[in-house]
Amino acid sequence: MRVLVVEPERRPEAREIDGSLHTMQGIVGGLIQPVYPFDDPVALVCNDEGKLMNLPANRGLRDKDGQIYDIIFGTFFLCGVPADSDHFTSLTPEQIKTYQEKFYTPEMFWGMDGRIVCLPLEVD
């Protein structure tokens, strides 16, 4: 299964995985939680307890106006989700390109005056 892995402070990386629960849990470092924040048939699979475990902040999820409404903590991956199935599948080449661009720049987060401030992080 072709997925896009997004690690904190790193650029996204397309990887081929076997699709087993063990492998998916290994990527996120614990129990998996799929979320569906996109209009595309794409799942964002993260650690179910990432915030509670104090995993590093990774990327912000934004609404249609570009405002952050949530932050994903720890490594996550993106995969396809067919409309007629509850199984994960490979991303298409177009989806890989789209989400590599969307999550290309690592981010850092600070709490300031009751708000979350997000700054891009420069990496090589």
Side-chain angles (χ1 to χ4, degrees):
M1 179 168 74
R2 191 112 173 116
V3 300
L4 189 67
V5 178
V6 184
E7 297 179 66
E9 300 183 13
R10 300 197 57 185
R11 305 234 188 261
E13 176 187 339
R15 290 189 198 161
E16 194 72 35
I17 66 170
D18 63 16
S20 70
L21 179 60
H22 178 76
T23 297
M24 291 187 274
Q25 288 176 330
I27 292 170
V28 303
L31 300 175
I32 63 169
Q33 175 188 20
V35 293
Y36 305 93
F38 314 114
D39 291 334
D40 290 340
V42 170
L44 185 156
V45 182
C46 59
N47 187 310
D48 187 39
E49 299 175 328
K51 291 178 186 174
L52 298 173
M53 294 171 62
N54 275 337
L55 295 180
N58 189 342
R59 300 295 202 281
L61 295 180
R62 291 168 170 76
D63 63 19
K64 63 181 179 179
D65 298 320
Q67 299 299 310
I68 293 175
Y69 66 87
D70 200 0
I71 297 172
I72 302 297
F73 287 76
T75 299
F76 65 89
F77 67 92
L78 301 150
C79 60
V81 182
D84 58 349
S85 174
D86 59 355
H87 291 69
F88 299 139
T89 62
S90 291
L91 293 171
T92 66
E94 295 80 18
Q95 289 168 329
I96 289 173
K97 183 176 187 287
T98 296
Y99 291 99
Q100 275 180 324
E101 291 171 3
K102 182 177 193 66
F103 293 110
Y104 183 75
T105 303
E107 298 173 319
M108 295 181 72
F109 303 90
W110 286 275
M112 181 186 286
D113 297 328
R115 295 183 33 187
I116 297 172
V117 177
C118 173
L119 294 174
L121 179 64
E122 293 298 321
V123 296
D124 292 329

